[in-house]
Amino acid sequence: MQLIPIPAFSDNYIWLVHNGQQAIVVDPGDAQPVLQTLERTGLSLQAILVTHHHADHVGGLAELRDRTNAKVYGPAGEDIHQPLQGMSANDRVQALGLEFTVLDVPGHTAGHIAFYCPDMDGAPLLFCGDTLFSAGCGRLFEGTPAQMLASLDLLAALPANTRVCCTHEYTLSNLRFARAVEPNNPQLLAYSAQCEALRAQDQPTLPSSIGLELAINPFLRSRLPTVKQSVQALHAHAVREVDVFAALREWKNNFR
Ligand code: ZN
Ligand code: FE
């Protein structure tokens, strides 16, 4: 099995998994780069997975469906205006001989879902849309901090070797913020150097892994003393876990 991030727009990735003949893609905001990849590789598209309703994740659906007859699976709880099979927590998708379980991860949007495959070639795989980014998390457009914290807790509990396929290349700017939160985290500094080298060669920093994110992502670390103390230095009133998380997200929103 092969896992390929197809770049789209300025910083999206449309993830493609294939077995040499058939493929699935996740969150095709644009049909063109997907069609080009299918044509170049001779792959046929079997299924499309969609995590949430934003245009940069669904914009290519109509054209891809027309051109390929692929089956579309998306969140049951969102208005996507496209024929698709609605999925919610614990539903399963079978494609390419893989089995994905649907996780409900509200926060970025109200009905956001993720797709988790416990075993692809011996290791788990996660498509988490705009919920978890490397060193960051999605903005809270429709959900509450409590919902996002619970969604991230769910993802954080997946096996450490889970490959995390995020839909945006936001890693370097997220890492700048993460270093402001935890300036003395040695793994964070080492990972930053690694990612800067990758981006300098125009390589993706993704997929990440749950184990790595637990070590460097402030949004998965908001209960740890280092992160909590940095947040409280700016927001003394943030005491409860959810208030620390909310203040951290707010800090990131205003971070330049
Ligand atoms: Zn989004
Ligand atoms: Fe997005």
Short mmCIF file of all heavy atoms in Angstrom, two decimals, residues 103-166:
data_model
loop_
_atom_site.label_atom_id
_atom_site.label_comp_id
_atom_site.label_asym_id
_atom_site.label_seq_id
_atom_site.Cartn_x
_atom_site.Cartn_y
_atom_site.Cartn_z
N LEU A 103 -14.67 8.21 13.60
CA LEU A 103 -14.64 8.84 14.92
C LEU A 103 -15.33 10.20 14.81
O LEU A 103 -15.10 10.94 13.85
CB LEU A 103 -13.19 9.06 15.37
CG LEU A 103 -12.23 7.86 15.30
CD1 LEU A 103 -10.81 8.29 15.63
CD2 LEU A 103 -12.70 6.80 16.29
N ASP A 104 -16.17 10.52 15.79
CA ASP A 104 -16.76 11.87 15.84
C ASP A 104 -15.77 12.80 16.52
O ASP A 104 -15.38 12.56 17.66
CB ASP A 104 -18.05 11.83 16.68
CG ASP A 104 -19.27 11.46 15.85
OD1 ASP A 104 -19.18 11.53 14.60
OD2 ASP A 104 -20.30 11.11 16.44
N VAL A 105 -15.37 13.85 15.82
CA VAL A 105 -14.39 14.79 16.39
C VAL A 105 -14.84 16.24 16.19
O VAL A 105 -14.20 17.01 15.50
CB VAL A 105 -12.97 14.55 15.82
CG1 VAL A 105 -12.37 13.28 16.37
CG2 VAL A 105 -12.98 14.48 14.28
N PRO A 106 -15.96 16.63 16.82
CA PRO A 106 -16.46 17.99 16.64
C PRO A 106 -15.52 19.03 17.25
O PRO A 106 -14.75 18.70 18.15
CB PRO A 106 -17.80 17.97 17.40
CG PRO A 106 -17.62 16.91 18.44
CD PRO A 106 -16.76 15.86 17.80
N GLY A 107 -15.61 20.25 16.75
CA GLY A 107 -14.79 21.34 17.29
C GLY A 107 -14.47 22.34 16.19
O GLY A 107 -14.88 23.49 16.23
N HIS A 108 -13.71 21.89 15.17
CA HIS A 108 -13.43 22.76 14.01
C HIS A 108 -14.75 23.06 13.30
O HIS A 108 -15.08 24.20 13.02
CB HIS A 108 -12.44 22.06 13.09
CG HIS A 108 -12.11 22.80 11.84
ND1 HIS A 108 -11.42 24.00 11.83
CD2 HIS A 108 -12.37 22.51 10.53
CE1 HIS A 108 -11.28 24.41 10.57
NE2 HIS A 108 -11.85 23.53 9.76
N THR A 109 -15.51 21.99 13.02
CA THR A 109 -16.91 22.14 12.60
C THR A 109 -17.75 21.24 13.50
O THR A 109 -17.21 20.37 14.19
CB THR A 109 -17.13 21.73 11.12
OG1 THR A 109 -16.81 20.34 10.96
CG2 THR A 109 -16.29 22.58 10.17
N ALA A 110 -19.06 21.44 13.47
CA ALA A 110 -19.94 20.75 14.42
C ALA A 110 -20.03 19.25 14.15
O ALA A 110 -20.20 18.46 15.07
CB ALA A 110 -21.32 21.37 14.41
N GLY A 111 -19.95 18.86 12.86
CA GLY A 111 -20.13 17.44 12.53
C GLY A 111 -18.87 16.76 12.03
O GLY A 111 -18.93 15.72 11.37
N HIS A 112 -17.72 17.35 12.32
CA HIS A 112 -16.43 16.85 11.81
C HIS A 112 -16.22 15.39 12.22
O HIS A 112 -16.43 15.03 13.36
CB HIS A 112 -15.31 17.71 12.38
CG HIS A 112 -14.02 17.67 11.62
ND1 HIS A 112 -13.32 16.49 11.39
CD2 HIS A 112 -13.28 18.64 11.04
CE1 HIS A 112 -12.21 16.77 10.71
NE2 HIS A 112 -12.17 18.07 10.49
N ILE A 113 -15.79 14.56 11.26
CA ILE A 113 -15.44 13.17 11.58
C ILE A 113 -13.99 12.89 11.16
O ILE A 113 -13.39 13.67 10.41
CB ILE A 113 -16.38 12.15 10.88
CG1 ILE A 113 -16.36 12.31 9.36
CG2 ILE A 113 -17.81 12.26 11.42
CD1 ILE A 113 -17.15 11.21 8.61
N ALA A 114 -13.45 11.78 11.68
CA ALA A 114 -12.13 11.31 11.27
C ALA A 114 -12.26 9.84 10.89
O ALA A 114 -13.22 9.18 11.29
CB ALA A 114 -11.13 11.49 12.42
N PHE A 115 -11.31 9.37 10.10
CA PHE A 115 -11.31 7.97 9.65
C PHE A 115 -10.05 7.30 10.17
O PHE A 115 -8.94 7.75 9.89
CB PHE A 115 -11.34 7.90 8.12
CG PHE A 115 -12.60 8.45 7.51
CD1 PHE A 115 -12.71 9.80 7.19
CD2 PHE A 115 -13.70 7.61 7.25
CE1 PHE A 115 -13.87 10.31 6.63
CE2 PHE A 115 -14.86 8.12 6.69
CZ PHE A 115 -14.96 9.47 6.38
N TYR A 116 -10.24 6.21 10.93
CA TYR A 116 -9.12 5.51 11.56
C TYR A 116 -9.05 4.08 11.04
O TYR A 116 -10.03 3.34 11.10
CB TYR A 116 -9.31 5.51 13.08
CG TYR A 116 -8.28 4.68 13.80
CD1 TYR A 116 -6.95 5.10 13.85
CD2 TYR A 116 -8.61 3.48 14.42
CE1 TYR A 116 -5.98 4.34 14.50
CE2 TYR A 116 -7.66 2.71 15.08
CZ TYR A 116 -6.34 3.15 15.11
OH TYR A 116 -5.39 2.40 15.75
N CYS A 117 -7.89 3.72 10.52
CA CYS A 117 -7.66 2.34 10.07
C CYS A 117 -6.62 1.72 11.00
O CYS A 117 -5.48 2.19 11.05
CB CYS A 117 -7.13 2.36 8.62
SG CYS A 117 -6.57 0.74 8.05
N PRO A 118 -7.00 0.69 11.77
CA PRO A 118 -6.08 0.14 12.77
C PRO A 118 -4.88 -0.57 12.17
O PRO A 118 -3.87 -0.76 12.85
CB PRO A 118 -6.94 -0.83 13.58
CG PRO A 118 -8.17 -1.07 12.78
CD PRO A 118 -8.34 0.07 11.83
N ASP A 119 -4.96 -0.97 10.90
CA ASP A 119 -3.85 -1.73 10.33
C ASP A 119 -3.75 -1.56 8.83
O ASP A 119 -4.54 -2.13 8.08
CB ASP A 119 -4.04 -3.23 10.68
CG ASP A 119 -2.88 -4.08 10.18
OD1 ASP A 119 -1.87 -3.52 9.68
OD2 ASP A 119 -2.98 -5.31 10.29
N MET A 120 -2.78 -0.77 8.41
CA MET A 120 -2.43 -0.76 6.99
C MET A 120 -0.95 -1.12 6.93
O MET A 120 -0.11 -0.36 7.39
CB MET A 120 -2.67 0.60 6.34
CG MET A 120 -2.27 0.58 4.86
SD MET A 120 -2.62 2.09 3.95
CE MET A 120 -1.06 2.95 4.09
N ASP A 121 -0.64 -2.29 6.39
CA ASP A 121 0.74 -2.78 6.34
C ASP A 121 1.39 -2.76 7.72
O ASP A 121 2.56 -2.37 7.84
CB ASP A 121 1.58 -1.93 5.36
CG ASP A 121 1.11 -2.08 3.91
OD1 ASP A 121 0.41 -3.08 3.61
OD2 ASP A 121 1.45 -1.19 3.10
N GLY A 122 0.63 -3.10 8.75
CA GLY A 122 1.23 -3.28 10.06
C GLY A 122 1.19 -2.10 11.00
O GLY A 122 1.61 -2.20 12.15
N ALA A 123 0.70 -0.94 10.54
CA ALA A 123 0.61 0.20 11.46
C ALA A 123 -0.70 0.95 11.21
O ALA A 123 -1.23 0.94 10.09
CB ALA A 123 1.80 1.14 11.28
N PRO A 124 -1.22 1.60 12.24
CA PRO A 124 -2.47 2.33 12.07
C PRO A 124 -2.31 3.62 11.26
O PRO A 124 -1.21 4.15 11.12
CB PRO A 124 -2.89 2.67 13.51
CG PRO A 124 -2.00 1.88 14.41
CD PRO A 124 -0.75 1.60 13.64
N LEU A 125 -3.44 4.09 10.78
CA LEU A 125 -3.48 5.25 9.89
C LEU A 125 -4.69 6.10 10.27
O LEU A 125 -5.78 5.56 10.49
CB LEU A 125 -3.63 4.73 8.46
CG LEU A 125 -3.64 5.67 7.29
CD1 LEU A 125 -2.28 6.36 7.15
CD2 LEU A 125 -3.95 4.88 6.00
N LEU A 126 -4.50 7.41 10.34
CA LEU A 126 -5.60 8.31 10.73
C LEU A 126 -5.72 9.45 9.73
O LEU A 126 -4.73 10.12 9.42
CB LEU A 126 -5.31 8.89 12.12
CG LEU A 126 -6.27 9.99 12.61
CD1 LEU A 126 -7.64 9.41 12.93
CD2 LEU A 126 -5.68 10.70 13.83
N PHE A 127 -6.95 9.67 9.25
CA PHE A 127 -7.24 10.86 8.46
C PHE A 127 -8.10 11.76 9.34
O PHE A 127 -9.25 11.45 9.63
CB PHE A 127 -7.98 10.50 7.17
CG PHE A 127 -7.15 9.67 6.24
CD1 PHE A 127 -7.48 8.35 5.98
CD2 PHE A 127 -6.01 10.20 5.64
CE1 PHE A 127 -6.70 7.56 5.13
CE2 PHE A 127 -5.23 9.43 4.79
CZ PHE A 127 -5.57 8.11 4.54
N CYS A 128 -7.51 12.88 9.78
CA CYS A 128 -8.17 13.67 10.82
C CYS A 128 -8.63 15.04 10.33
O CYS A 128 -9.05 15.87 11.13
CB CYS A 128 -7.25 13.82 12.03
SG CYS A 128 -5.64 14.49 11.61
N GLY A 129 -8.56 15.29 9.01
CA GLY A 129 -9.08 16.54 8.47
C GLY A 129 -8.42 17.74 9.13
O GLY A 129 -7.20 17.81 9.26
N ASP A 130 -9.23 18.70 9.57
CA ASP A 130 -8.72 19.92 10.20
C ASP A 130 -8.87 19.88 11.72
O ASP A 130 -9.00 20.91 12.36
CB ASP A 130 -9.44 21.16 9.65
CG ASP A 130 -9.01 21.51 8.24
OD1 ASP A 130 -8.09 20.88 7.70
OD2 ASP A 130 -9.62 22.44 7.66
N THR A 131 -8.89 18.67 12.30
CA THR A 131 -9.00 18.58 13.77
C THR A 131 -7.62 18.67 14.40
O THR A 131 -7.38 19.54 15.25
CB THR A 131 -9.70 17.28 14.17
OG1 THR A 131 -11.02 17.30 13.62
CG2 THR A 131 -9.79 17.14 15.68
N LEU A 132 -6.72 17.79 13.97
CA LEU A 132 -5.35 17.76 14.51
C LEU A 132 -4.38 18.10 13.39
O LEU A 132 -4.46 17.52 12.31
CB LEU A 132 -5.07 16.36 15.06
CG LEU A 132 -3.67 16.07 15.61
CD1 LEU A 132 -3.34 16.97 16.80
CD2 LEU A 132 -3.56 14.60 16.00
N PHE A 133 -3.49 19.07 13.65
CA PHE A 133 -2.39 19.36 12.73
C PHE A 133 -1.10 19.01 13.44
O PHE A 133 -1.07 18.88 14.66
CB PHE A 133 -2.37 20.85 12.34
CG PHE A 133 -3.58 21.28 11.56
CD1 PHE A 133 -4.37 22.32 12.01
CD2 PHE A 133 -3.93 20.63 10.39
CE1 PHE A 133 -5.49 22.73 11.29
CE2 PHE A 133 -5.05 21.02 9.66
CZ PHE A 133 -5.83 22.08 10.11
N SER A 134 -0.01 18.90 12.69
CA SER A 134 1.25 18.68 13.38
C SER A 134 1.58 19.95 14.15
O SER A 134 1.64 21.04 13.59
CB SER A 134 2.38 18.32 12.42
OG SER A 134 3.52 17.97 13.20
N ALA A 135 1.76 19.81 15.46
CA ALA A 135 2.06 20.90 16.39
C ALA A 135 0.90 21.88 16.57
O ALA A 135 1.08 22.94 17.17
CB ALA A 135 3.33 21.66 15.99
N GLY A 136 -0.29 21.53 16.08
CA GLY A 136 -1.42 22.46 16.23
C GLY A 136 -2.75 21.74 16.19
O GLY A 136 -2.82 20.50 16.16
N CYS A 137 -3.82 22.52 16.18
CA CYS A 137 -5.16 21.95 15.99
C CYS A 137 -5.99 22.94 15.19
O CYS A 137 -5.58 24.09 15.00
CB CYS A 137 -5.84 21.62 17.33
SG CYS A 137 -6.47 23.04 18.24
N GLY A 138 -7.15 22.49 14.72
CA GLY A 138 -8.00 23.36 13.92
C GLY A 138 -8.60 24.50 14.74
O GLY A 138 -8.70 24.41 15.97
N ARG A 139 -8.96 25.56 14.03
CA ARG A 139 -9.67 26.66 14.71
C ARG A 139 -11.07 26.21 15.09
O ARG A 139 -11.67 25.38 14.41
CB ARG A 139 -9.80 27.86 13.78
CG ARG A 139 -8.55 28.68 13.69
CD ARG A 139 -8.79 29.85 12.73
NE ARG A 139 -7.55 30.55 12.50
CZ ARG A 139 -7.24 31.71 13.09
NH1 ARG A 139 -8.08 32.30 13.92
NH2 ARG A 139 -6.09 32.29 12.83
N LEU A 140 -11.61 26.82 16.13
CA LEU A 140 -12.95 26.46 16.59
C LEU A 140 -13.97 27.33 15.87
O LEU A 140 -14.38 28.36 16.38
CB LEU A 140 -13.05 26.66 18.10
CG LEU A 140 -12.01 25.88 18.90
CD1 LEU A 140 -12.18 26.12 20.39
CD2 LEU A 140 -12.13 24.39 18.60
N PHE A 141 -14.38 26.91 14.68
CA PHE A 141 -15.37 27.69 13.93
C PHE A 141 -16.79 27.41 14.41
O PHE A 141 -17.61 28.30 14.45
CB PHE A 141 -15.27 27.40 12.43
CG PHE A 141 -14.05 28.00 11.79
CD1 PHE A 141 -13.13 27.20 11.15
CD2 PHE A 141 -13.83 29.38 11.83
CE1 PHE A 141 -12.00 27.76 10.54
CE2 PHE A 141 -12.70 29.94 11.24
CZ PHE A 141 -11.79 29.12 10.60
N GLU A 142 -17.07 26.14 14.71
CA GLU A 142 -18.45 25.79 15.07
C GLU A 142 -18.58 25.12 16.42
O GLU A 142 -19.69 24.98 16.93
CB GLU A 142 -19.04 24.86 13.99
CG GLU A 142 -19.11 25.50 12.61
CD GLU A 142 -19.51 24.50 11.52
OE1 GLU A 142 -19.88 23.36 11.85
OE2 GLU A 142 -19.43 24.88 10.33
N GLY A 143 -17.49 24.65 16.97
CA GLY A 143 -17.57 23.89 18.22
C GLY A 143 -17.03 24.67 19.40
O GLY A 143 -16.49 25.76 19.26
N THR A 144 -17.16 24.09 20.59
CA THR A 144 -16.68 24.71 21.82
C THR A 144 -15.29 24.16 22.16
O THR A 144 -14.90 23.09 21.68
CB THR A 144 -17.62 24.36 22.99
OG1 THR A 144 -17.58 22.93 23.18
CG2 THR A 144 -19.05 24.79 22.72
N PRO A 145 -14.56 24.89 23.02
CA PRO A 145 -13.28 24.35 23.49
C PRO A 145 -13.44 22.98 24.14
O PRO A 145 -12.60 22.09 23.93
CB PRO A 145 -12.81 25.41 24.50
CG PRO A 145 -13.45 26.68 24.04
CD PRO A 145 -14.79 26.28 23.50
N ALA A 146 -14.51 22.78 24.89
CA ALA A 146 -14.71 21.47 25.54
C ALA A 146 -14.85 20.35 24.51
O ALA A 146 -14.30 19.26 24.67
CB ALA A 146 -15.93 21.51 26.45
N GLN A 147 -15.58 20.64 23.42
CA GLN A 147 -15.73 19.63 22.36
C GLN A 147 -14.38 19.33 21.71
O GLN A 147 -14.04 18.16 21.45
CB GLN A 147 -16.68 20.14 21.27
CG GLN A 147 -18.15 20.03 21.66
CD GLN A 147 -19.04 20.57 20.56
OE1 GLN A 147 -18.76 21.63 19.98
NE2 GLN A 147 -20.11 19.86 20.27
N MET A 148 -13.62 20.38 21.38
CA MET A 148 -12.33 20.16 20.72
C MET A 148 -11.38 19.41 21.63
O MET A 148 -10.66 18.50 21.18
CB MET A 148 -11.73 21.51 20.27
CG MET A 148 -10.47 21.37 19.44
SD MET A 148 -10.66 20.31 17.97
CE MET A 148 -10.11 21.40 16.69
N LEU A 149 -11.36 19.75 22.91
CA LEU A 149 -10.49 19.06 23.85
C LEU A 149 -10.85 17.57 23.90
O LEU A 149 -9.96 16.70 23.87
CB LEU A 149 -10.59 19.70 25.24
CG LEU A 149 -9.68 19.13 26.34
CD1 LEU A 149 -8.20 19.21 25.96
CD2 LEU A 149 -9.91 19.85 27.67
N ALA A 150 -12.13 17.26 23.94
CA ALA A 150 -12.56 15.86 23.97
C ALA A 150 -12.18 15.15 22.66
O ALA A 150 -11.76 13.98 22.66
CB ALA A 150 -14.07 15.77 24.20
N SER A 151 -12.33 15.84 21.53
CA SER A 151 -11.95 15.25 20.23
C SER A 151 -10.46 14.96 20.18
O SER A 151 -10.03 13.89 19.72
CB SER A 151 -12.33 16.20 19.09
OG SER A 151 -13.74 16.36 19.04
N LEU A 152 -9.66 15.90 20.66
CA LEU A 152 -8.20 15.69 20.65
C LEU A 152 -7.81 14.59 21.63
O LEU A 152 -6.89 13.81 21.36
CB LEU A 152 -7.46 17.00 20.97
CG LEU A 152 -7.60 18.10 19.91
CD1 LEU A 152 -6.91 19.38 20.37
CD2 LEU A 152 -7.01 17.67 18.56
N ASP A 153 -8.52 14.49 22.76
CA ASP A 153 -8.25 13.40 23.71
C ASP A 153 -8.50 12.04 23.06
O ASP A 153 -7.76 11.08 23.27
CB ASP A 153 -9.15 13.52 24.95
CG ASP A 153 -8.67 14.62 25.91
OD1 ASP A 153 -7.51 15.06 25.79
OD2 ASP A 153 -9.48 15.04 26.76
N LEU A 154 -9.56 11.98 22.25
CA LEU A 154 -9.89 10.73 21.56
C LEU A 154 -8.76 10.34 20.60
O LEU A 154 -8.33 9.18 20.55
CB LEU A 154 -11.20 10.95 20.78
CG LEU A 154 -11.87 9.79 20.09
CD1 LEU A 154 -12.37 8.79 21.13
CD2 LEU A 154 -13.04 10.28 19.24
N LEU A 155 -8.25 11.32 19.86
CA LEU A 155 -7.16 11.04 18.91
C LEU A 155 -5.87 10.71 19.64
O LEU A 155 -5.11 9.82 19.25
CB LEU A 155 -6.96 12.22 17.96
CG LEU A 155 -8.19 12.61 17.11
CD1 LEU A 155 -7.84 13.74 16.16
CD2 LEU A 155 -8.76 11.40 16.34
N ALA A 156 -5.63 11.42 20.75
CA ALA A 156 -4.39 11.21 21.53
C ALA A 156 -4.32 9.81 22.12
O ALA A 156 -3.23 9.32 22.42
CB ALA A 156 -4.29 12.25 22.64
N ALA A 157 -5.48 9.17 22.28
CA ALA A 157 -5.52 7.83 22.88
C ALA A 157 -5.25 6.73 21.84
O ALA A 157 -5.14 5.56 22.20
CB ALA A 157 -6.87 7.60 23.55
N LEU A 158 -5.13 7.09 20.59
CA LEU A 158 -4.82 6.08 19.55
C LEU A 158 -3.36 5.62 19.73
O LEU A 158 -2.56 6.31 20.36
CB LEU A 158 -5.03 6.69 18.15
CG LEU A 158 -6.48 7.08 17.84
CD1 LEU A 158 -6.55 7.83 16.50
CD2 LEU A 158 -7.40 5.86 17.82
N PRO A 159 -3.01 4.46 19.16
CA PRO A 159 -1.64 3.96 19.33
C PRO A 159 -0.58 4.97 18.88
O PRO A 159 -0.79 5.72 17.92
CB PRO A 159 -1.61 2.72 18.44
CG PRO A 159 -3.04 2.28 18.33
CD PRO A 159 -3.86 3.52 18.39
N ALA A 160 0.55 4.97 19.60
CA ALA A 160 1.60 5.96 19.33
C ALA A 160 2.12 5.88 17.89
O ALA A 160 2.52 6.89 17.31
CB ALA A 160 2.76 5.75 20.32
N ASN A 161 2.08 4.69 17.30
CA ASN A 161 2.62 4.57 15.93
C ASN A 161 1.58 4.87 14.85
O ASN A 161 1.83 4.63 13.67
CB ASN A 161 3.22 3.17 15.72
CG ASN A 161 2.18 2.06 15.79
OD1 ASN A 161 1.09 2.26 16.35
ND2 ASN A 161 2.49 0.90 15.25
N THR A 162 0.43 5.41 15.24
CA THR A 162 -0.58 5.80 14.24
C THR A 162 -0.04 6.92 13.35
O THR A 162 0.38 7.97 13.85
CB THR A 162 -1.86 6.30 14.94
OG1 THR A 162 -2.36 5.28 15.80
CG2 THR A 162 -2.93 6.69 13.92
N ARG A 163 -0.05 6.69 12.06
CA ARG A 163 0.36 7.75 11.13
C ARG A 163 -0.77 8.77 11.02
O ARG A 163 -1.93 8.39 10.79
CB ARG A 163 0.67 7.17 9.76
CG ARG A 163 1.97 6.40 9.72
CD ARG A 163 2.04 5.45 8.56
NE ARG A 163 1.15 4.31 8.76
CZ ARG A 163 0.98 3.32 7.86
NH1 ARG A 163 1.63 3.38 6.71
NH2 ARG A 163 0.17 2.31 8.11
N VAL A 164 -0.44 10.04 11.21
CA VAL A 164 -1.45 11.09 11.28
C VAL A 164 -1.39 11.92 9.99
O VAL A 164 -0.42 12.63 9.74
CB VAL A 164 -1.21 12.00 12.51
CG1 VAL A 164 -2.23 13.13 12.54
CG2 VAL A 164 -1.29 11.18 13.80
N CYS A 165 -2.46 11.79 9.19
CA CYS A 165 -2.52 12.48 7.91
C CYS A 165 -3.40 13.72 8.07
O CYS A 165 -4.63 13.63 8.05
CB CYS A 165 -3.08 11.55 6.84
SG CYS A 165 -2.10 10.04 6.66
N CYS A 166 -2.76 14.86 8.24
CA CYS A 166 -3.46 16.13 8.42
C CYS A 166 -3.69 16.74 7.04
O CYS A 166 -2.95 16.44 6.10
CB CYS A 166 -2.63 17.10 9.24
SG CYS A 166 -1.77 16.36 10.65
#
